[in-house]
Amino acid sequence: MASILVVGSVALDSVKTTEGESVEALGGSATYFSLSASHFAPVSVVGVVGKDFPVKYRRLLEKRGIDLSGFHEMPGKTFRWVGKYGADVNEAQTLETHLNVFAEFKPKLTAEQARSEVVFLANIDPELQMEVLTQMRRPAIVACDTMNYWISSKPEALKELLARVNIFFANEEEAKKLTRQPNALRAANVLQEWGPDVVVIKKGEHGALLKAGRKTYAFPAYPLEQVKDPTGAGDTFAGGFMGYLASCNGFGDLSQLKRAMLFGTVMASFTCEEFSTARVEALQKHELHGRFDDLAERLSVPVDPVLIAAN
Amino acid sequence: MASILVVGSVALDSVKTTEGESVEALGGSATYFSLSASHFAPVSVVGVVGKDFPVKYRRLLEKRGIDLSGFHEMPGKTFRWVGKYGADVNEAQTLETHLNVFAEFKPKLTAEQARSEVVFLANIDPELQMEVLTQMRRPAIVACDTMNYWISSKPEALKELLARVNIFFANEEEAKKLTRQPNALRAANVLQEWGPDVVVIKKGEHGALLKAGRKTYAFPAYPLEQVKDPTGAGDTFAGGFMGYLASCNGFGDLSQLKRAMLFGTVMASFTCEEFSTARVEALQKHELHGRFDDLAERLSVPVDPVLIAAN
């Protein structure tokens, strides 16, 4: 079982949705990713928090076995995000962003972290993502995510990073914007030409696309009647995806990548069921595997003996 | 093999998309449905055209073995629709609608049509849909579609119809509007309570949902890099779905319904590849089954022996 290093944000989120609200709850890309991936493989986080970061949240992460030795505490306040969602849960509206100590984030890996086999560079400045990568010894799998802000402000740094990445996660809109392509499929083709062997395009409630080799594999989201809070769904998806691959000790096999898509889908669906990390942090193994099996069963289309005979 | 009766519009469409345009090409819900379904089972159409309906289009339908004995020619002009699509192929913009002879459409079934085992009531006035239904002898499967116009103008007639229908096809936005529900899943639940055993919610490029029994099955669209003209994709989907069920001589089996979803998906994808009915009318059997197998293969997620052992 390979170990995973994740570098990204740790935040306190205040979120309003049509189903309720949360105040200064645990958030951040590294947090969602690591809680999700911790259900599959050992995870170590590199991140920064302020003096005000609640001990209970630190305990919560430790309880999931997440290594916090790279969790830097700096004088000042923890990164805060305030946002809301309307009836369309696919679109977050940012009301406030206070970077606080996160503005000074300079990720520095320990010798052990530098030896991690799998690394996930969450959506921070692509120049910082590259700095982390240069500190790594010889990772077997490098994956990254990004966000609109970096696509607009540092597209060239991002392209340089992509040339050194195995797996790239992006939202549909981000992928289209970055590549200037009219649809997700063509965007994935262009992204793959820039470097990554595997491109995953996340489409929120409409599921996700996997581009691996020459083919694109579309998977639906797990059907949910109620979405309480979609914050972190994308990072939780990446956590399930990368966590499963790390547990396989390898990557490149299409069957593994498809299962990784389903584990990502399942983990994202759990995240949406409660505010903040509540559902994912308390998730039981039988719930996770039960939903995986349920999703796989819903997607399975048994062959028709009559059809086979007629062909 | 059961025979299918379809009642709906026959039109001449002029369509502009980012990929080109068509002028007075063959269109209409009954046309797209019957061309699609004709690849699976015998189809008979009830529709109306004007004196100006081109003979070449009549021949085109006959060439696919479609029974046109219920194709009424009336003095006047054929129904015309002029529309365009922007970068978002999910949304058609209607520029002109000329109902012409379609405004006087009063479907009247022949004795043989009234004995059809499977009937598809395309998106015409729900009162006309009901009139057709009362003329039927004892159909094994009744399916219908509708559109925003009837949801706004005749919701009660539509609800009455749904109480007598086995399968209801609706677009996501239409389903949410008709049921006043915030998402497709909850909309499908409500629709099912109103009557249909099976509800299919079409989501364009994002695929479709099947609600059958208590569960919802989400399927992605077939990945297409280029959409030339999405007109008729929904009716072609219904044609593939109903055509396959008719060829099975039965319905209720979940595996059959899932395969029907895939055949619908495949037929809709072909429609989008060319303007008007060009791709579907000339489709070869091996292309159809080849794409079905390809889609089923893309969706299949082989079990992980390690995972099974660990569970």
Side-chain angles (χ1 to χ4, degrees):
Chain A
M1 171 126 16
S3 64
I4 308 179
L5 179 72
V6 50
V7 184
S9 63
V10 180
L12 298 176
D13 289 348
S14 298
V15 175
K16 247 186 210 160
T17 76
T18 56
E19 308 294 327
E21 66 180 304
S22 66
V23 177
E24 304 224 329
L26 186 56
S29 56
T31 310
Y32 278 107
F33 179 92
S34 54
L35 280 171
S36 177
S38 72
H39 288 277
F40 301 86
V43 183
S44 182
V45 190
V46 176
V48 62
V49 293
K51 292 280 183 202
D52 61 348
F53 189 69
V55 175
K56 64 175 177 183
Y57 292 153
R58 192 182 278 273
R59 294 273 172 281
L60 187 160
L61 294 163
E62 284 169 345
K63 217 176 132 192
R64 288 275 339 135
I66 297 165
D67 171 29
L68 299 184
S69 62
F71 218 65
H72 303 288
E73 193 180 284
M74 277 173 65
K77 285 181 135 188
T78 303
F79 177 20
R80 274 166 176 77
W81 180 73
V82 181
K84 71 171 189 180
Y85 299 84
D88 181 358
V89 293
N90 291 305
E91 237 169 295
Q93 193 187 335
T94 293
L95 301 175
E96 294 174 37
T97 303
H98 304 284
L99 291 177
N100 299 329
V101 297
F102 191 59
E104 312 298 322
F105 186 39
K106 287 272 175 285
K108 180 89 192 73
L109 310 191
T110 64
E112 201 185 328
Q113 286 175 328
R115 281 194 297 270
S116 301
E117 291 113 318
V118 176
V119 58
F120 180 71
L121 308 164
N123 59 8
I124 57 174
D125 183 336
E127 289 174 10
L128 288 186
Q129 289 176 312
M130 186 65 100
E131 262 184 53
V132 171
L133 204 50
T134 55
Q135 292 175 55
M136 297 294 296
R137 290 278 294 262
R138 205 182 298 143
I141 314 180
V142 177
C144 81
D145 196 347
T146 191
M147 62 190 291
N148 261 327
Y149 182 75
W150 306 118
I151 291 171
S152 301
S153 60
K154 299 193 177 180
E156 290 311 314
L158 185 55
K159 278 185 75 171
E160 268 178 56
L161 179 74
L162 288 182
R164 297 183 54 185
V165 153
N166 303 104
I167 305 177
F168 180 48
F169 294 88
N171 291 337
E172 181 169 21
E173 288 313 312
E174 292 165 0
K176 292 197 293 194
K177 188 177 169 190
L178 180 57
T179 59
R180 299 177 187 203
Q181 292 294 316
N183 64 50
L185 260 86
R186 290 206 220 169
N189 292 347
V190 172
L191 290 168
Q192 210 179 23
E193 280 168 22
W194 291 351
D197 311 298
V198 172
V199 175
V200 177
I201 310 259
K202 299 171 288 179
K203 306 200 300 171
E205 69 167 310
H206 299 303
L209 299 179
L210 166 73
K211 178 87 202 279
R214 291 181 168 193
K215 269 194 169 176
T216 305
Y217 304 84
F219 290 98
Y222 183 82
L224 287 182
E225 286 184 20
Q226 191 193 39
V227 171
K228 274 200 183 166
D229 175 12
T231 309
D235 294 304
T236 317
F237 183 102
F241 188 103
M242 297 303 297
Y244 172 69
L245 285 189
S247 78
C248 294
N249 274 325
F251 119 95
D253 172 335
L254 181 61
S255 298
Q256 282 173 353
L257 290 171
K258 283 176 163 184
R259 285 191 292 265
M261 289 291 285
L262 258 54
F263 276 117
T265 300
V266 161
M267 295 308 292
S269 74
F270 282 121
T271 289
C272 294
E273 288 184 341
E274 292 293 345
F275 278 88
S276 180
T277 61
R279 188 74 175 92
V280 172
E281 75 199 38
L283 192 64
Q284 300 295 307
K285 194 175 174 158
H286 72 269
E287 294 177 304
L288 198 177
H289 288 277
R291 188 168 289 186
F292 178 92
D293 292 343
D294 179 30
L295 181 57
E297 185 276 319
R298 290 188 203 223
L299 280 173
S300 84
V301 182
V303 294
D304 180 344
V306 180
L307 218 58
I308 296 290
N311 258 339
Chain B
M1 171 121 19
S3 63
I4 308 178
L5 179 72
V6 49
V7 184
S9 62
V10 180
L12 297 176
D13 288 348
S14 298
V15 175
K16 247 187 211 159
T17 77
T18 57
E19 308 294 327
E21 66 180 302
S22 66
V23 177
E24 304 224 329
L26 186 55
S29 56
T31 309
Y32 278 107
F33 178 92
S34 55
L35 280 170
S36 178
S38 72
H39 289 277
F40 301 87
V43 183
S44 181
V45 190
V46 176
V48 63
V49 293
K51 293 278 182 203
D52 60 348
F53 189 69
V55 175
K56 64 176 177 181
Y57 292 154
R58 191 182 279 271
R59 295 273 172 281
L60 188 160
L61 295 164
E62 283 169 345
K63 215 176 135 192
R64 288 279 336 135
I66 297 165
D67 170 29
L68 299 184
S69 61
F71 218 64
H72 302 289
E73 193 180 284
M74 276 172 65
K77 285 180 134 190
T78 302
F79 177 19
R80 273 165 177 77
W81 181 73
V82 182
K84 72 171 189 179
Y85 300 83
D88 180 359
V89 292
N90 292 303
E91 237 168 294
Q93 192 188 334
T94 292
L95 300 176
E96 295 175 37
T97 303
H98 305 283
L99 292 178
N100 299 330
V101 296
F102 192 58
E104 313 298 321
F105 186 38
K106 289 272 173 285
K108 180 90 192 72
L109 310 190
T110 63
E112 200 184 329
Q113 286 175 328
R115 281 193 297 271
S116 300
E117 291 112 318
V118 176
V119 57
F120 180 71
L121 307 164
N123 60 8
I124 56 174
D125 183 336
E127 289 174 11
L128 289 186
Q129 289 176 312
M130 186 64 101
E131 262 184 54
V132 171
L133 205 49
T134 54
Q135 293 176 53
M136 298 293 296
R137 291 279 293 264
R138 204 183 299 143
I141 314 179
V142 177
C144 79
D145 197 346
T146 191
M147 63 189 292
N148 261 327
Y149 182 76
W150 306 118
I151 291 171
S152 301
S153 59
K154 299 193 177 179
E156 290 311 314
L158 186 54
K159 280 186 73 171
E160 267 177 58
L161 178 74
L162 288 182
R164 297 183 55 185
V165 154
N166 303 104
I167 305 177
F168 180 48
F169 293 87
N171 290 337
E172 181 168 20
E173 288 313 312
E174 292 166 0
K176 293 198 294 196
K177 188 177 170 191
L178 180 58
T179 59
R180 300 179 187 202
Q181 292 295 314
N183 63 51
L185 261 86
R186 291 206 219 168
N189 293 347
V190 172
L191 290 168
Q192 211 178 23
E193 281 168 21
W194 290 352
D197 310 298
V198 171
V199 175
V200 177
I201 311 261
K202 298 171 287 179
K203 306 200 299 170
E205 71 168 307
H206 299 302
L209 300 179
L210 166 72
K211 179 87 202 282
R214 290 182 168 193
K215 271 194 167 174
T216 305
Y217 303 84
F219 290 98
Y222 183 81
L224 286 181
E225 287 184 20
Q226 189 194 41
V227 170
K228 275 202 184 164
D229 174 13
T231 309
D235 293 304
T236 317
F237 182 103
F241 188 103
M242 297 304 297
Y244 173 68
L245 285 190
S247 78
C248 293
N249 274 326
F251 120 95
D253 172 337
L254 181 60
S255 299
Q256 282 173 353
L257 290 171
K258 282 175 161 182
R259 285 192 292 265
M261 288 291 284
L262 258 56
F263 277 117
T265 300
V266 161
M267 294 308 293
S269 74
F270 282 120
T271 288
C272 294
E273 288 183 341
E274 292 294 345
F275 278 86
S276 180
T277 60
R279 189 74 176 93
V280 173
E281 72 198 40
L283 193 64
Q284 299 295 307
K285 194 173 175 161
H286 72 270
E287 295 177 303
L288 198 177
H289 288 276
R291 188 168 289 186
F292 178 91
D293 291 344
D294 179 30
L295 181 58
E297 186 276 320
R298 290 189 203 223
L299 279 173
S300 84
V301 181
V303 294
D304 180 345
V306 180
L307 217 62
I308 295 291
N311 259 336

